[in-house]
Structure formats: structure tokens, C-alpha cells
Amino acid sequence: MKDIQLLHKKIIGAKSKVLYRYSPDENWQKDWQAMAGEWKCENGYLVGKEAGNKGGILWYKEVFDKPVMMSFTAATVAPATRDVNAVICADWNDEINDLGDAYICGLNGWFADKAGFEKNLKSGGLGFRALTASYRYEPCKEVRMTVGAINGHMFMIVDGEVVSEYIEYKNYLTRGHIGFSPYCTILKIKDIEIREIVYEECHETYEPEF
């Protein structure tokens, strides 16, 4: 894995240990838990469908209390075109039987084909939304995504390019599940890899250009 340069941080690919690799098969429920939506394994993909105006949730059963990132290949499934989404540092709210605290990131979402992040709150509502229209996902095209969070510093990489970062400086999430969230769409996912994040601080400075 190549190093990943973020704002003031460099993820060291060679030192970021692989915790889990998976090519979907009929035994997917051994490691993955479907919390919402319809899920199955088909032709080597995990396929998730949520027809309502809400998010389906499939997450890796292990809870992480350290920074991790997940790489995967994903695409929408026709006629669905939107919301190639993942969740990070996620938990479940048993009182409302829905997603609790979580970071959500994705492509072609937020009702206007935007990419970005939002923070879901167990107490209700949202902590923030940070969105951009500068990246446009081509429906049904497979893309390779990497998503993760380092103490409130979220990042999303698509086909080797950093699409978005968001840094939450206080009250950030550090513990939870990592997984997927098709929102009123159909997704197919394969070639999943979860890594522990090893990084170094690198406080950039500007050199005068004139």
C-alpha cells in the first residue's frame, strides 16, 4: 500500500498492518452483521439494498478502538445510481433501532450527487455535514475506495485520489464498527481490506512564492 498524504499527517502504508482481508462468499455472516436493509452474497459481491428513504447498514462485527481504514471496490447496481456510502466509528441505537453515533462518508449522495461526510448523533440529529460537488461518481462504475478516521480526521480516497477530508477537533468519535450504508439505493462490494492506521505528523509550511 502506498503512503497517503493528508493535511498534517502521512499514513505510512508499509507499517499500516492488515487486520482483515475478505472476498465475499456464502459465509459472509460469520464476520459481517446486517443491521438494516437487505443483504446477500451474489457472484462474489456483497449486495446491499435499501428501498426506503433511509440507510441500510452492514458492518464488520469487530469493534475497533484505534484508528482503522477500510479499502473496498464498490458500485451501484442498476437502476440505482447513488449513495456509495460507508460508516466509520459506528454504533447502534437500540432505542430507535437505527444507527447511533457514526461518521458517514460517500459518493453521489445528499440529494444532489455530492461527495463528503456527515456525523450521525445517537442523541438525535447531525453533528455536521461537509459536502462537495467537485467529484461526480459515474453510476454503476466500479471504484476503489479507502475510508478511515484518525481521532476526528476523516478521509475518503477514490481510485488513488483524496476526494475529501474533514477534521473534527473536539468531541470526535474514536470507537466503533466500520462498514457500509446504501441509502435508498443498491450497492455491490468486493475485495475488502481493513488496516490499522500508522501515521506520522508532518506540519507543512509555505515557502514564499515571490
Side-chain angles (χ1 to χ4, degrees):
M1 179 181 181
K2 294 181 179 180
D3 294 349
I4 299 171
Q5 184 65 59
L6 304 174
L7 179 64
H8 299 328
K9 296 181 181 69
K10 180 190 286 186
I11 296 175
I12 310 302
K15 295 182 179 180
S16 296
K17 181 174 65 176
V18 175
L19 302 176
Y20 178 77
R21 278 197 179 106
Y22 181 59
S23 296
D25 60 20
E26 65 276 6
N27 299 312
W28 61 274
Q29 289 173 298
K30 173 178 177 290
D31 295 332
W32 296 86
Q33 185 172 7
M35 304 299 294
E38 302 174 23
W39 292 90
K40 62 183 178 180
C41 180
E42 186 174 68
N43 299 323
Y45 292 86
L46 291 173
V47 179
K49 176 182 179 181
E50 175 52 69
N53 187 34
K54 56 184 179 179
I57 299 290
L58 178 75
W59 62 35
Y60 185 57
K61 288 182 178 180
E62 183 174 344
V63 173
F64 295 104
D65 58 4
K66 56 190 174 185
V68 296
M69 57 187 172
M70 179 173 65
S71 300
F72 55 95
T73 299
T76 56
V77 178
T81 63
R82 56 184 177 243
D83 283 81
V84 186
N85 296 344
V87 293
I88 311 164
C89 299
D91 68 13
W92 196 251
N93 187 336
D94 291 324
E95 293 183 5
I96 62 172
N97 194 34
D98 204 348
L99 190 65
D101 288 338
Y103 295 130
I104 302 167
C105 62
L107 308 175
N108 261 38
W110 292 279
F111 315 105
D113 300 334
K114 294 182 179 180
F117 301 96
E118 71 179 32
K119 184 180 183 181
N120 196 73
L121 298 176
K122 190 172 186 176
S123 58
L126 297 172
F128 64 77
R129 277 179 170 156
L131 309 174
T132 177
S134 63
Y135 180 93
R136 295 286 181 172
Y137 169 73
E138 181 182 332
C140 301
K141 178 184 177 182
E142 288 192 356
V143 291
R144 185 71 179 169
M145 297 177 65
T146 299
V147 299
I150 307 169
N151 299 328
H153 188 158
M154 288 143 278
F155 58 92
M156 178 168 53
I157 298 164
V158 183
D159 292 335
E161 299 294 329
V162 178
V163 168
S164 188
E165 297 177 63
Y166 186 88
I167 302 174
E168 188 174 32
Y169 289 101
K170 59 182 180 179
N171 300 322
Y172 51 77
L173 306 176
T174 60
R175 184 179 187 276
H177 296 274
I178 193 165
F180 309 100
S181 179
Y183 195 102
C184 197
T185 195
I186 308 171
L187 299 182
K188 63 177 184 179
I189 303 147
K190 68 175 183 177
D191 299 334
I192 302 164
E193 179 183 88
I194 299 173
R195 288 180 181 251
E196 181 178 356
I197 296 175
V198 175
Y199 69 98
E200 60 184 29
E201 302 282 351
C202 50
H203 293 285
E204 300 96 335
T205 59
Y206 277 126
E207 293 295 332
E209 295 179 318
F210 50 88

